[in-house]
Amino acid sequence: MIVLGLETSCDETGLALYDSEVGLRAQVLYSQIKLHAEYGGVVPELASRDHVRKLIPLMNQLLEESKIQKSEIDAIAYTRGPGLMGALMTGALFGRTLAFALNKPAIGVHHMEGHMLAPLLSETPPEFPFVALLVSGGHTQLMAAHGIGQYELLGESIDDAAGEAFDKVAKMMGLAYPGGPNVSKLALQGSATAFDFPRPMLHQGLDFSFSGLKTAVSIQLKKVAGQNREADIAASFQEALVDTLVKKSVKALKQTGLKRLVIAGGVSANSRLRERLEADLAKIKATVYYAEPALCTDNGAMIAFAGYQRLKAGQHDGLSVTTTPRWPMTELSNPEQG
Ligand code: KG4
Ligand code: ZN
């Protein structure tokens, strides 16, 4: 089965073709980063308009690069939510309409399920069950994943998401959006122990809170203004955030008795997080799994793959176009049970 995947939930237009026989056939990605840069964050209306401009040219590029004809596409998967309403609508309408024209099934996919399943596309995919640490620009969650659509929420951020904290700290330092990669690059030149930033809610269950950490960074930045300490602050901030994510993940593994941790979402591309998890999980004989960096941030491949998991069980949507900007992952169904 060849599935076309469409991702338009935020500021990336991603299209991919997943072939259940051979794996990922082709993918194209257009990032709107430059478009939003001068505003320091994503402007929803500009994002929607740009997706509309890019979808057709990217689709043509994808078909050309893959040498696959439109008529060979068996089904279409698009991101139904969570995300920006207008941005979601563009991909959903495009996907649903194309599926109608081709007389093929379409399915709306949960963006975070897409992220979570992306590591299954790697050479050494994890098996269910596993604990998933989902860390993106909008979400920070720990899930117990027992199978496709069988997700149990173990903990989540009560305020800022991990990626959001990176982005806000970057903004305070005058670094460009998206902040995660820029903060972690600057952190390489600093000391992770220079400042002892708080690790909020470390000993309280599996929920997270990052807004206090962000405030602590803001106060410290003002205190050392003009002293050229930005790299030390970046490194110490990253360490506090990573330390919290690692300790809570270890706690979740111990609590569930599971030995596999899957990390997914933009922040899972962070090399310090990967390094710390490799080291700390080895101590408890657990293994960490992640996708290649290009599949950690938003992309069409993860949507094609997650869609395929449901389509192969016969699940698909009707003719109406539904987007769900707020959508808890625990509401998803097990496709085997309809
Ligand atoms: O999953 P994603 O591409 O989009 C959402 O679904 O939100 O995640 C984007 C987030 C941004 O906040 C970005 O700063 C962060 O992931 N990010 C990183 C890194 N690469 C992306 N954060 C830390 N280190 C990175 N290397
Ligand atoms: Zn995402």
Side-chain angles (χ1 to χ4, degrees), residues 7 9-10 12 82 111-112 115 135-139 265-266 296-299 302:
E7 157 59 31
S9 68
C10 190
E12 249 108 29
H111 180 82
M112 296 310 294
H115 274 305
V135 273
S136 70
H139 291 77
C296 288
T297 43
D298 293 350
N299 63 85
M302 69 184 200

XYZ file of all heavy atoms in Angstrom, residues 7 9-10 12 82 111-112 115 135-139 265-266 296-299 302, ligand 2:
142
model
N 1.676 16.905 6.130
C 1.796 17.561 7.435
C 1.743 19.074 7.246
O 2.580 19.649 6.546
C 3.115 17.134 8.101
C 3.663 18.083 9.164
C 2.735 18.338 10.330
O 1.952 17.446 10.699
O 2.771 19.464 10.889
N 0.473 21.141 10.208
C -0.142 21.614 11.462
C 0.435 22.915 11.993
O -0.187 23.601 12.784
C -0.027 20.537 12.537
O 1.326 20.372 12.908
N 1.656 23.250 11.543
C 2.284 24.456 12.093
C 3.054 25.192 10.991
O 2.431 25.724 10.084
C 3.175 24.067 13.270
S 3.771 25.478 14.207
N 5.664 23.911 8.992
C 6.368 23.103 8.023
C 5.352 22.448 7.085
O 4.373 21.865 7.555
C 7.161 22.001 8.725
C 8.645 22.202 8.649
C 9.244 22.613 9.974
O 8.681 22.220 11.009
O 10.255 23.333 9.961
N -3.280 17.720 16.854
C -3.478 19.109 17.257
C -2.583 20.045 16.437
O -1.623 19.602 15.827
C -3.050 19.103 18.735
C -2.381 17.807 19.009
C -2.540 16.923 17.827
N -1.167 14.339 15.144
C 0.212 14.790 14.939
C 1.192 14.150 15.937
O 2.292 13.727 15.557
C 0.227 16.320 15.073
C 1.562 16.943 14.884
N 2.083 17.213 13.639
C 2.502 17.351 15.771
C 3.270 17.772 13.771
N 3.562 17.853 15.055
N 0.794 14.055 17.210
C 1.719 13.509 18.214
C 1.858 11.997 18.087
O 2.904 11.442 18.424
C 1.280 13.907 19.635
C 1.327 15.401 19.898
S 2.889 16.220 19.431
C 4.047 15.481 20.565
N 4.514 11.728 15.518
C 5.846 11.878 16.131
C 6.247 10.596 16.854
O 7.363 10.110 16.715
C 5.823 13.011 17.162
C 6.079 14.374 16.577
N 7.206 14.665 15.826
C 5.378 15.537 16.656
C 7.162 15.946 15.471
N 6.070 16.499 15.945
N 8.261 15.282 23.228
C 8.749 16.629 23.539
C 8.798 17.472 22.275
O 9.707 17.355 21.472
C 10.143 16.576 24.223
C 10.012 16.431 25.721
C 11.023 15.451 23.682
N 7.798 18.321 22.112
C 7.754 19.162 20.914
C 7.595 20.615 21.333
O 7.764 20.962 22.501
C 6.590 18.715 20.025
O 5.372 19.048 20.648
N 7.227 21.451 20.350
C 7.030 22.861 20.660
C 5.766 23.096 21.473
O 5.658 24.065 22.220
N 4.789 22.205 21.342
C 3.514 22.394 22.030
C 3.211 21.354 23.091
O 2.264 21.525 23.860
N 3.982 20.270 23.137
C 3.672 19.169 24.059
C 4.885 18.666 24.818
O 5.978 18.595 24.253
C 3.089 17.977 23.288
C 1.722 18.232 22.739
N 1.516 18.989 21.622
C 0.498 17.849 23.173
C 0.216 19.056 21.377
N -0.428 18.380 22.306
N 9.424 13.991 18.771
C 9.110 15.426 18.729
C 10.406 16.209 18.586
O 11.496 15.659 18.793
N 10.285 17.479 18.213
C 11.452 18.312 17.894
C 12.590 18.253 18.906
O 13.762 18.153 18.525
N 12.561 13.825 13.506
C 12.177 14.236 14.872
C 11.288 15.480 14.802
O 10.301 15.589 15.505
C 13.417 14.572 15.708
S 14.363 13.121 16.154
N 11.683 16.421 13.954
C 10.859 17.622 13.782
C 9.749 17.291 12.772
O 9.719 16.207 12.199
C 11.733 18.805 13.303
O 12.616 18.323 12.300
C 12.560 19.379 14.438
N 8.840 18.242 12.568
C 7.657 17.965 11.750
C 8.021 17.515 10.321
O 8.900 18.098 9.691
C 6.773 19.210 11.683
C 6.167 19.519 13.047
O 6.292 18.665 13.953
O 5.572 20.588 13.196
N 7.307 16.516 9.842
C 7.573 15.983 8.496
C 6.362 15.188 8.005
O 5.510 14.786 8.807
C 8.823 15.100 8.533
C 8.628 13.887 9.424
O 8.104 12.866 8.996
N 9.009 13.986 10.694
N 6.139 10.894 8.912
C 5.530 10.363 10.141
C 4.006 10.305 10.020
O 3.358 9.424 10.588
C 5.953 11.205 11.360
C 5.386 12.617 11.390
S 6.052 13.544 12.793
C 4.819 14.856 12.949
Zn 5.413 18.392 15.746
